[in-house]
Amino acid sequence: GILQHPDGTVLKQLQPPPRGPREQEFYNKVYDSKCCDSILLELREYLPKYFGVWSPPTAPNDTYLKLEDVTRKFNKPCIMDVKIGQKSYDPYASAEKIQQQVSKYPLMEEIGFLVLGMRVYHVSSDSYETQNQHYGRSLTKETVKDGISKFFHSGYCLRKDVVAASIQKVEKILEWFEGQTQLNFYASSLLFVYEGSCQATTVRLSDVTLAEKRRVPKGLLSGGDVLEYNNNIHVINSTENGKIEASVGKGLSKFYALHKKACSKRHHSQLSLKVENSEQDNVWKTSTCITQEHLNGNVLPQLEKVFYHMPAETKESANVEVRMIDFAHVFPSNTKDEGYIYGLKNLITVLQNILDN
């Protein structure tokens, strides 16, 4: 298991030979202070920082790798460990070892990755849901998309901002693999971490791209600031006078396109939007006009059209980390790591499907 050092790093006990020494050698090579290899220097961006080895005074023969705690900066970290590659055994594995690994997850070669576990914070219940490796091994080609999407669900809504940011980070790792022929990775994982608690951020109106160039209704915004929350809208109630009150769920990364006819009849019923900040328990209210005829039928699609589109680059603003971990089976090579590349591409496809659908 992983232990916490008092200085904020984590300690991973060195595995028995040859795995442990091989992982230590990998970290020593990548983080060598004299390293001038551009491939390895770039690789550091995708790994936890390495601070050498450590042994407890009471057990000097026990050796631990001292690594950056990637989860430390998060308040409610959501964590997922995904093993990448078509093979979870290395080229030197015995026939028995190969059979053992294949039998654990026969779909590894076809899917190219395996969810080893996840821990997801649910805002709605203020609790964590955990899944172990048995959950990942139960996923098939047909269910893997839904299985992974569970990691990005807050209990209120799907965190599409986190999915988008995760895709961008995995794509950067894929670019690195496409450009290197030095190393092949087996039974190595990607560690996904994102912030599960709802922390609103403020964005300027000047940064908002309107779907249509039309005047913003009076009273919609105060001082040009808007609280950013996740795209999740709950209708609270509809009063007799036609006033619809809606709560905008925590963490909105996207504002929706302004409806063409919103405010065409200002004297008609009013739409009031209430944004709640659970941290400070203060309420920010604003209003705009929308005609009753546009509220008839399903209210949610109409509500969505009142919001604004955020520029695409804000997808990166989600607090997400994706790091490569577990290097007990890394070997020198002179070819591209096609198995790992296959797994990364398949994982990106699944994440993109989650985002699109």
Side-chain angles (χ1 to χ4, degrees):
I2 298 288
L3 303 175
Q4 187 84 40
H5 191 279
D7 66 7
T9 58
V10 291
L11 303 168
K12 179 182 180 182
Q13 189 162 21
L14 213 62
Q15 299 175 70
R19 291 174 297 166
R22 193 187 293 134
E23 183 164 29
Q24 183 182 349
E25 183 185 351
F26 169 80
Y27 273 113
N28 285 339
K29 181 178 181 180
V30 174
Y31 282 95
D32 187 337
S33 58
K34 296 176 183 174
C35 176
C36 54
D37 184 330
S38 61
I39 295 292
L40 298 183
L41 291 174
E42 186 189 345
L43 179 58
R44 292 180 186 179
E45 296 177 33
Y46 313 121
L47 311 183
K49 292 185 179 67
Y50 174 61
F51 303 100
V53 294
W54 179 87
S55 297
T58 53
N61 293 328
D62 290 349
T63 305
Y64 293 83
L65 298 172
K66 205 163 180 284
L67 302 166
E68 172 191 7
D69 181 359
V70 180
T71 71
R72 193 180 186 197
K73 67 179 181 181
F74 297 93
N75 182 32
K76 298 288 186 183
C78 298
I79 306 165
M80 179 169 65
D81 184 335
V82 184
K83 187 185 286 189
I84 305 291
Q86 290 178 284
K87 296 175 181 175
S88 55
Y89 54 88
D90 65 52
Y92 303 98
S94 64
E96 183 183 1
K97 178 69 172 178
I98 293 172
Q99 181 55 40
Q100 178 200 45
Q101 289 297 314
V102 170
S103 64
K104 280 183 179 179
Y105 193 56
L107 291 172
M108 192 77 183
E109 190 161 358
E110 189 174 1
I111 293 178
F113 60 85
L114 166 64
V115 177
L116 291 178
M118 65 173 73
R119 183 171 179 258
V120 190
Y121 177 71
H122 284 173
V123 178
S124 51
S125 60
D126 188 27
S127 62
Y128 280 95
E129 176 188 351
T130 59
Q131 302 289 351
N132 62 20
Q133 56 190 313
H134 299 294
Y135 171 81
R137 287 175 188 155
S138 71
L139 300 177
T140 64
K141 275 198 309 179
E142 292 71 32
T143 63
V144 70
K145 178 188 145 199
D146 290 338
I148 286 187
S149 68
K150 190 184 281 266
F151 174 65
F152 298 101
H153 208 284
S154 71
Y156 280 129
C157 62
L158 183 69
R159 291 287 305 274
K160 288 197 170 188
D161 58 326
V162 175
V163 181
S166 297
I167 290 170
Q168 290 179 337
K169 289 182 180 292
V170 177
E171 283 176 339
K172 290 290 291 179
I173 294 172
L174 174 60
E175 281 178 28
W176 182 84
F177 270 90
E178 292 278 23
Q180 72 89 24
T181 55
Q182 292 187 33
L183 299 167
N184 279 7
F185 295 72
Y186 302 90
S188 185
S189 289
L190 289 184
L191 187 72
F192 290 77
V193 189
Y194 73 88
E195 180 56 68
S197 65
C198 359
Q199 295 173 332
T201 56
T202 301
V203 292
R204 301 293 308 178
L205 177 60
S206 57
D207 294 331
V208 175
T209 303
L210 293 180
E212 309 169 36
K213 291 185 178 178
R214 54 152 63 267
R215 189 169 63 87
V216 177
K218 282 184 181 177
L220 177 61
L221 297 169
S222 174
D225 286 336
V226 168
L227 284 175
E228 185 192 353
Y229 281 88
N230 229 3
N231 50 350
N232 177 37
I233 302 171
H234 304 294
V235 174
I236 299 174
N237 57 58
S238 177
T239 57
E240 288 180 11
N241 64 5
K243 183 178 178 181
I244 306 286
E245 192 172 10
S247 169
V248 180
K250 323 286 196 246
L252 182 62
S253 63
K254 244 185 184 177
F255 291 106
Y256 296 89
L258 187 63
H259 193 275
K260 283 183 180 179
K261 295 182 181 178
C263 290
S264 62
K265 299 180 183 177
R266 289 180 178 271
H267 63 277
H268 275 257
S269 59
Q270 195 179 49
L271 177 69
S272 169
L273 295 176
K274 182 172 72 176
V275 178
E276 296 173 345
N277 185 332
S278 62
E279 302 277 325
Q280 300 170 9
D281 201 31
N282 54 11
V283 175
W284 172 85
K285 290 187 176 182
T286 187
S287 62
T288 184
C289 310
I290 190 164
T291 61
Q292 186 63 52
E293 64 212 56
H294 294 130
L295 289 174
N296 290 339
N298 189 342
V299 177
L300 284 176
Q302 302 299 334
L303 286 175
E304 291 180 351
K305 292 170 184 173
V306 179
F307 291 93
Y308 300 95
H309 275 305
M310 291 300 297
E313 59 267 24
T314 59
K315 289 176 184 176
E316 289 188 279
S317 66
N319 200 357
V320 179
E321 291 286 353
V322 180
R323 304 288 186 95
M324 296 169 61
I325 58 170
D326 298 337
F327 306 111
H329 302 276
V330 179
F331 295 91
S333 172
N334 54 13
T335 61
K336 282 188 182 182
D337 191 341
E338 297 295 351
Y340 202 104
I341 289 172
Y342 176 90
L344 289 176
K345 286 182 175 178
N346 262 16
L347 180 57
I348 290 168
T349 299
V350 170
L351 292 174
Q352 193 64 55
N353 285 340
I354 292 171
L355 191 62
D356 295 341
N357 300 325

